Amino acid sequence: MSHALTPPRRPLRRAVAAVLVALAAISAIAAIAGPARAAEANDPDLTLLYRLALSAEMCGFTVSPKQAEGIGKDMDRHIRRLNLSDDDADALYKKIEADMAAEDWDKLCAKSGAWAKTYAEQIRKFGK
């Protein structure tokens, strides 16, 4: 039974449901667009920085605290320049990690391999 001064609840429920559906659709579009945005932002300099960080972690390649800090600052600078969200930057990092894993970590991490030499050359740019 509805009181004359109480507005009907059914239209309100429909409006709330419509808003929730719209928000869910926006979230789904954002989730799909996030990885796409990260792939578009595949900047060679940021890719190199991510590869250096991943190599230090996965291969145990030498990196000093000063070098790690320099790499981190450069990453932040490139992320800001590319206007990447945290999610986009994380998605790109994970993509590069997967790409490196597909190249075979044992080969990449070989101390006398081509990547180890490139790593050593690039890491010197960040001091000692």
Side-chain angles (χ1 to χ4, degrees):
M1 181 170 160
S2 178
H3 189 274
L5 298 175
T6 307
R9 293 182 184 245
R10 217 171 247 150
L12 180 61
R13 286 184 187 152
R14 285 187 202 137
V16 170
V19 168
L20 292 175
V21 168
L23 289 174
I26 290 168
S27 294
I29 290 168
I32 293 167
R37 171 78 174 112
E40 289 171 14
N42 198 356
D43 177 72
D45 294 329
L46 184 56
T47 298
L48 175 64
L49 293 166
Y50 280 170
R51 286 180 65 95
L52 293 173
L54 283 160
S55 297
E57 180 183 343
M58 300 302 289
C59 300
F61 288 168
T62 303
V63 61
S64 72
K66 180 182 176 183
Q67 290 166 328
E69 183 179 341
I71 291 169
K73 284 181 181 179
D74 267 10
M75 281 181 195
D76 290 343
R77 184 172 52 84
H78 285 284
I79 289 168
R80 279 191 310 274
R81 180 179 56 79
L82 294 168
N83 199 28
L84 293 177
S85 69
D86 289 344
D87 289 341
D88 290 339
D90 288 343
L92 181 59
Y93 187 88
K94 289 176 184 174
K95 179 193 176 306
I96 292 167
E97 182 178 24
D99 291 348
M100 290 177 77
E103 291 178 47
D104 186 10
W105 284 113
D106 289 337
K107 183 178 175 185
L108 281 171
C109 295
K111 302 292 183 201
S112 60
W115 174 243
K117 291 174 187 171
T118 300
Y119 175 89
E121 291 167 8
Q122 293 298 319
I123 204 77
R124 276 190 220 111
K125 295 178 183 178
F126 296 97
K128 292 188 179 204

